[in-house]
Structures are given as structure tokens and as C-alpha cells.
């Protein structure tokens, strides 16, 4: 669960300015029988149920997991996320089993709050589904989707230094640890030292030569 998740995949508020003129795919099929779907209002009940079922799992790292959200609150945040998608500032996804598309087992997002030319990935996966590589696979798919968008040259994943499970995701995906920054402690297990992992779009001279 990344630090971004504290303000994102369950709590989405549109930024004032467009981050990219493009839009990522609304469906990203992953290995292991799961997919990332664009989050819509029709997912409200399933998402609210998933969040409530995972509060104990999420609470150590995520500020918003301190209290169970009402269904109305989940619906409100989902509508805000839909508006942010249309505005080109945030792109909210849910992880669903291909065999049960009405069930939610995690949430991911691309968030344009870290400055021009960049998106931040936030995520969580339900307790019963950790250890299956879902977070790494989904974050990898979103990394590629983000770097394919016009104007986006950098993707970041941020997590508390003590959150080893979250840090393993960018490490496995070849992100570099750019820095460790001070951050406000907002959840019980946080230390206030935030790892900032970065992956950048290769420059033209780093692209593989198709004739070689």
C-alpha cells in the first residue's frame, strides 16, 4: 500500500489543472486472472464492501482507513474520481477477478499531484489476495500506461520507509530510489520518512534500435 493511497484510491479529488491531454486505457488485463477496470459509480457497492472488509489490513498505513466509509461517501468519492478522469488529472482503477467482475479486490490510481510531466501511482490490495504479485503486475501495467501518455515523462511511487511490502513493488519494477523525504505521520505504522521511487521515460537516444 503506497503513501499515495492515503489520499487517492479511496479519496479522489480532482486537481485544478489538466496533467495530460491523453487518457490511459479503461481496461488493463493482467496475468493471474485479474484486470484493472476504470472505477465507475456502478462499482460503489462492491468497493465499499471491499474497503470495509479490509480496514484492519489497511489501517496501519492509510489515514482514511481509520473509519469505515459510508456507501454515500464511497459514491461521492467515486463521482469525484470520474470527474478527475475527464479532467485529465487522476485516473482511478479497481482490481477485479475476471471470473467475478462484480467483486473488488483492490484499488489503484494514477495521480497528477506531483507536478508537470509526472503521475504518482497509489494502490492497495485486499488482505486475502496479497502475495500473488497483483500489486507488482498492476503497478507495472500502470507505469507503462502512464509513460505512454502525452506529456508524461516520470512516474513515482511513494511509501513510508517502514512499509517494506509496498517498497518491494517499485523495486521489482526497476524504479530507482530517488530520495527519502520527511513526511507528516498520518497513520499508526508510519515513521515520517517517505521513500520516493522514480521511473522515467527513456530519452530518444536510450530507445533500442529496431535495426540492431
Amino acid at each position: 500500500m503506497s503513501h499515495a493511497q492515503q489520499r487517492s484510491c479511496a479519496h479522489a479529488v480532482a486537481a485544478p489543472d489538466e496533467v495530460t491531454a491523453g487518457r490511459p486505457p479503461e481496461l488493463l488485463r493482467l496475468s493471474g486472472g485479474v484486470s484493472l477496470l476504470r472505477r465507475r459509480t456502478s462499482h460503489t457497492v462492491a468497493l465499499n464492501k471491499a474497503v470495509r472488509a479490509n480496514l484492519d489490513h489497511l489501517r496501519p498505513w492509510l489515514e482514511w482507513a481509520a473509519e469505515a466509509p459510508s456507501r454515500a461517501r464511497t459514491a461521492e468519492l467515486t463521482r469525484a474520481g470520474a470527474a478527475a478522469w475527464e479532467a485529465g488529472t487522476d485516473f482511478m482503477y479497481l482490481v477485479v477477478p475476471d471470473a467475478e467482475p462484480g467483486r473488488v479486490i483492490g484499488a489503484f490510481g494514477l495521480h497528477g499531484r506531483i507536478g508537470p510531466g509526472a503521475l504518482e501511482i497509489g494502490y492497495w490490495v485486499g488482505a486475502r489476495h496479497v502475495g500473488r504479485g497483483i500489486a507488482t503486475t498492476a503497478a507495472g501495467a500502470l507505469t507503462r500506461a502512464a509513460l505512454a501518455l502525452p506529456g508524461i515523462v516520470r512516474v513515482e511511487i511513494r511509501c513510508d520507509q517502514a512499509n517494506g511490502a509496498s517498497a518491494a513493488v517499485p523495486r521489482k519494477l526497476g524504479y530507482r530510489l530517488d530520495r527519502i523525504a520527511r513526511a507528516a505521520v498520518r497513520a499508526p505504522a508510519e515513521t515520517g520518512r517517505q521513500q520516493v521511487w522514480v521511473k522515467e521515460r527513456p530519452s530518444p537516444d536510450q530507445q533500442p534500435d529496431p535495426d540492431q
Side-chain angles (χ1 to χ4, degrees), residues 167-207:
V169 171
R171 186 179 293 113
K172 290 175 183 176
L173 293 173
Y175 281 64
R176 62 179 173 83
L177 180 58
D178 184 70
R179 63 192 184 277
I180 297 176
R182 292 183 180 273
V185 174
R186 295 188 174 92
E190 289 188 324
T191 66
R193 292 176 60 80
Q194 183 186 88
Q195 294 179 343
V196 181
W197 296 85
V198 174
K199 193 157 196 177
E200 296 161 324
R201 180 187 294 176
S203 60
D205 59 351
Q206 293 177 310
Q207 298 286 356

Side-chain angles (χ1 to χ4, degrees), residues 9-32:
C9 297
H11 291 68
V13 178
D17 299 314
E18 179 183 81
V19 174
T20 176
R23 301 293 181 271
E26 296 188 4
L27 169 64
L28 292 166
R29 296 202 180 277
L30 311 175
S31 60

Side-chain angles (χ1 to χ4, degrees), residues 126-173:
R128 294 178 59 187
H129 303 279
V130 298
R132 294 171 49 190
I134 292 173
T136 302
T137 302
L142 286 182
T143 299
R144 293 187 292 273
L147 292 176
L149 291 170
I152 301 300
V153 297
R154 187 177 84 257
V155 182
E156 294 185 4
I157 293 176
R158 302 184 179 198
C159 62
D160 190 86
Q161 184 170 292
N163 193 344
S166 188
V169 171
R171 186 179 293 113
K172 290 175 183 176
L173 293 173

